[in-house]
Amino acid sequence: MPEIHAAGHGTGHHTQAAPSCLRPSRLRKWAGLLAGVALGSFITERAAHAQYAGQMSSIVMDARTGAVLAQDDPDLRRYPASLTKLMTLYMAFSALRAGTITLDQSVPVSIHASIMEPSKLGLVPGSHLTVEQAILALVTKSANDAACALGELLGGGSEPQFAAMMTQQARALGMTNTTFRNASGLPDPEQLTTARDLAVLARHIVTDFPEDYHYFSVAAFRFHGRMIPNHNPMLKVYAGADGMKTGYTQEAGHNLVTSAIRNDVRLVGVVLGASSNGQRTIAMANQLDRGFDAEGVAPVPRPLVLARNTVSARRTRGGRVIMLAAASARHAPLEVAEAPTGRRSLRHGRRYVLATPVTGGHHVRLIGAKVRPATATTHRTRSGRSSRNHT
C-alpha cells in the first residue's frame, strides 16, 4: 500500500502508511471527507474575508462616559491596518509615564525595522531616532519602520514579543475581540479588531494620557531636514477634530479613528472598511455630527471645499514655518512642529502645536514595557516623567 501524504503542508514530518484494512473504497471516502473539510475551511476563510471588503463598520462614543451615540456593525472583526499604531503609541505613553523610557532616548533601527514596507521614514540599519521622533513619525506619516523600531525597543528587542504585550494590554482595556501581531499594522491575517474595540482604545488614550494626547494634533514635524506632514484630513476639515489616526491596506480598506471636542463634549469615532479616503472622511463627519446632535451640541457648518491632506506651500514669517493647506490658500495657516507658540519643546528647542486641552483621566492597569529603567543621570520634568540632562 503506498504512503498517503497530507498535501500542501510541507512540514518535514514522516508520513505514515495507511492501515492494511483501509480498502480503496474507504480511501475514496476518506479522501472525499478530507476534501470536504478543506473546502469548508476555504469557504469559511472566504466568508471571513468578505466582511472586510466593501462593508463599513462604524461607531461614535462619548469619550467621557463611553455611551454609544451611533453605530453600524461595530462588532465585525476587521483588519486594523495602521490603526494598530494607536496601541503602539498607548504602550509608549505607558512606558513614558512609568519612566522606563524617555522622550529623548535613542531608538536603534534594526535591519528588520528598516525593511518595513511604506509608508516609512526610510530609516537605515544601525541608525537611531529618538522616542519623541518615533511618536511624531507614527502620528503624522504613519511610518512603519519607526513603529517597528519603537516596538522593538519596548519589546526588549523583539517585535513579536511587543505584539504579545499589545494584545495583553488590549485585554486589560476590555478590547476582547482584538489581537495584534506587529507594531505597525502591516498585513497579517491574524491581526484583527473591531470598531467598538478601537473606540475603547481611543477613549483610553484620551483619558489615560492627557499629557500626551497633544501629539495627535501636530500638523507636521521636521526630520533630518524634511518636513513630514500629518496624513489625517480630519484635522483640517472638521471643526473640533484634534487627533487620532488613519489607516489603509487593500484588505482592510480605508480606516479612520477621530476625536473631536465641541462645547466641552468630546467624542471618539471609528470608521473601518471605507472604499476611499473621501468616503471615509464623509462617513466620519456624518457620524460625529450625529453624535454631537445626540449630545445636544449645536451643529457647525462644514467647509464647502475639503482641504486635501497634502502641503502645497511653505512660508517663513518671523522665523516660523507656516504650512498652507493645498486645497485653498483661504484656509487659516497651520503651524508646524517647530512653531514657537507651543508650550512644550522638542529636542534642540523645536516646538509643536498643542491639541485642545484634555481633562480627566482614571486609573487603569498598564502592561509594563521591557526596557531598561532610566539611568541615575535623569531628572524629573514638569509632567513627572524622566528625561536625560542636556548640556
Side-chain angles (χ1 to χ4, degrees):
M1 179 72 66
E3 291 183 338
I4 299 174
H5 300 270
H9 286 277
T11 60
H13 296 298
H14 294 292
T15 57
Q16 294 181 344
S20 59
C21 62
L22 204 56
R23 298 288 183 254
S25 60
R26 292 190 178 184
L27 274 176
R28 287 192 294 270
K29 184 177 180 180
W30 188 24
L33 178 61
L34 290 176
V37 171
L39 179 61
S41 176
F42 175 76
I43 292 173
T44 300
E45 182 180 352
R46 290 297 296 266
H49 180 77
Q51 76 181 43
Y52 309 132
Q55 180 181 358
M56 283 196 297
S57 296
S58 64
I59 191 169
V60 59
M61 286 183 180
D62 184 303
R64 182 178 61 85
T65 66
V68 176
L69 305 174
Q71 60 182 342
D72 185 15
D73 292 325
D75 297 310
L76 288 181
R77 299 198 76 185
R78 317 296 297 253
Y79 297 132
S82 281
L83 301 185
T84 298
K85 295 182 178 75
L86 290 175
M87 180 57 83
T88 301
L89 290 163
Y90 187 98
M91 302 292 285
F93 297 155
S94 172
L96 285 168
R97 178 176 290 176
T100 55
I101 62 173
T102 62
L103 286 174
D104 62 350
Q105 182 170 338
S106 180
V107 181
V109 178
S110 67
I111 295 176
H112 175 62
S114 72
I115 63 174
M116 292 293 105
E117 296 180 12
S119 175
K120 61 195 298 184
L121 290 176
L123 301 174
V124 178
S127 63
H128 295 78
L129 72 166
T130 68
V131 168
E132 188 159 45
Q133 286 173 331
I135 290 171
L136 288 166
L138 266 61
V139 300
T140 57
K141 189 176 178 62
S142 193
N144 295 322
D145 49 1
C148 181
L150 184 59
E152 288 177 335
L153 175 73
L154 297 171
S158 168
E159 186 182 20
Q161 173 63 31
F162 178 64
M165 293 163 58
M166 294 167 71
T167 302
Q168 185 182 3
Q169 182 66 75
R171 295 294 181 273
L173 297 179
M175 300 168 63
T176 57
N177 291 307
T178 297
T179 300
F180 293 108
R181 289 291 181 256
N182 58 54
S184 63
L186 285 170
D188 187 301
E190 296 181 353
Q191 185 150 274
L192 298 169
T193 190
T194 66
R196 190 184 306 277
D197 277 5
L198 288 172
V200 169
L201 175 58
R203 283 191 62 221
H204 276 286
I205 289 174
V206 169
T207 58
D208 298 347
F209 301 106
E211 71 272 22
D212 294 305
Y213 179 73
H214 59 84
Y215 282 111
F216 291 99
S217 69
V218 171
F221 84 107
R222 185 179 295 278
F223 182 75
H224 291 180
R226 293 179 294 149
M227 293 306 304
I228 310 296
N230 197 317
H231 286 179
N232 189 350
M234 295 296 289
L235 296 176
K236 301 173 185 175
V237 304
Y238 191 81
D242 57 6
M244 287 278 184
K245 190 78 190 63
T246 62
Y248 169 77
T249 65
Q250 184 175 358
E251 295 84 0
H254 298 259
N255 298 343
L256 180 62
V257 172
T258 298
S259 183
I261 186 168
R262 293 179 182 173
N263 294 356
D264 295 325
V265 173
R266 178 173 289 281
L267 305 182
V268 292
V270 181
V271 171
L272 303 179
S275 60
S276 68
N277 286 338
Q279 184 190 45
R280 177 179 70 183
T281 300
I282 292 171
M284 179 64 75
N286 286 341
Q287 75 163 2
L288 288 174
D289 281 351
R290 290 197 298 270
F292 281 120
D293 182 66
E295 298 278 55
V297 177
V300 175
R302 296 185 193 172
L304 296 178
V305 179
L306 296 183
R308 294 178 184 175
N309 190 31
T310 56
V311 174
S312 64
R314 285 184 290 175
R315 297 179 183 174
T316 301
R317 181 184 305 162
R320 296 190 304 178
V321 179
I322 303 298
M323 310 294 285
L324 301 181
S328 173
R330 297 191 303 271
H331 290 279
L334 300 171
E335 293 180 351
V336 300
E338 66 221 42
T341 54
R343 294 194 299 271
R344 297 179 61 190
S345 59
L346 295 166
R347 297 189 70 192
H348 310 305
R350 297 194 183 102
R351 296 178 183 269
Y352 45 77
V353 181
L354 288 175
T356 303
V358 181
T359 59
H362 53 85
H363 176 74
V364 294
R365 186 161 61 92
L366 302 176
I367 306 302
K370 289 194 171 184
V371 295
R372 279 185 273 183
T375 65
T377 60
T378 62
H379 67 276
R380 306 299 295 183
T381 64
R382 284 186 306 162
S383 61
R385 60 174 51 148
S386 298
S387 178
R388 294 177 181 170
N389 288 314
H390 295 281
T391 57

